[in-house]
Amino acid sequence: MESNQQEWLLKRLTQSKEHIIRCMLNFMKETERIKEEMEQRGMNTMNIMSTLTLKQAHKQKLEAYLIAVQLFKSNPNKCFSLTLLRKHVQQHVDYALPSNTSFIEKIQEINPFIRKVRRGCYQYIDHL
């Protein structure tokens, strides 16, 4: 019984991490939209702190991670090579992905149910 509870807690934590990333993206998009509207109306946006403005590279990186996680979750019975994963992500986001190792490590940090099944291949396995 303890194992089921631990797995449930891990799943909830994973959902929370993904939700936080989605919230960050939505916040960034909304902030950028407001700033653009202010600029269109001739309002001064120079006093807006740089931490509140959207940094395109950061936004694209977060989107790339979420796209990769969603690909795994939507195809739980399929094994993905890193090459295939990179191609899929780059079709959706114009972002220079980091090295394979750091990219997959970050994805696994976001969702630990994405596991290595053999050399260079990963799969979403939602049980411990």
Side-chain angles (χ1 to χ4, degrees):
M1 188 65 176
E2 181 68 25
S3 176
N4 287 339
Q5 190 174 18
Q6 288 177 353
E7 189 170 328
W8 180 82
L9 288 170
L10 185 58
K11 285 182 183 181
R12 291 286 298 144
L13 179 62
T14 299
Q15 290 171 346
S16 179
K17 287 179 190 177
E18 291 175 21
H19 181 74
I20 289 168
I21 292 173
R22 280 189 201 90
C23 288
M24 288 172 56
L25 280 170
N26 289 337
F27 167 76
M28 295 167 122
K29 289 175 184 177
E30 180 67 9
T31 302
E32 186 65 20
R33 187 194 63 75
I34 291 168
K35 186 176 176 187
E36 286 174 4
E37 187 174 334
M38 288 174 70
E39 288 172 350
Q40 287 174 354
R41 293 176 185 225
M43 298 171 72
N44 182 7
T45 59
M46 296 302 291
N47 59 352
I48 297 175
M49 293 179 6
S50 62
T51 56
L52 294 179
T53 59
L54 176 63
K55 294 186 174 149
Q56 192 65 22
H58 187 65
K59 175 186 162 226
Q60 289 173 330
K61 180 172 36 171
L62 290 176
E63 287 177 341
Y65 294 142
L66 280 180
I67 288 168
V69 168
Q70 283 306 120
L71 177 66
F72 280 107
K73 287 175 74 174
S74 63
N75 300 288
N77 298 326
K78 189 172 180 182
C79 179
F80 292 96
S81 69
L82 290 175
T83 304
L84 182 63
L85 179 63
R86 289 174 74 89
K87 283 181 184 178
H88 177 78
V89 170
Q90 288 180 328
Q91 287 175 348
H92 296 287
V93 179
D94 183 27
Y95 175 70
L97 297 172
S99 71
N100 285 342
T101 305
S102 64
F103 184 63
I104 197 67
E105 284 174 354
K106 184 63 176 180
I107 292 169
Q108 288 177 312
E109 183 181 309
I110 294 167
N111 192 318
F113 294 104
I114 297 170
R115 304 208 178 121
K116 186 176 187 174
V117 290
R118 64 179 182 271
R119 185 172 184 227
C121 290
Y122 297 82
Q123 184 176 1
Y124 180 77
I125 303 171
D126 71 343
H127 54 79
L128 297 173

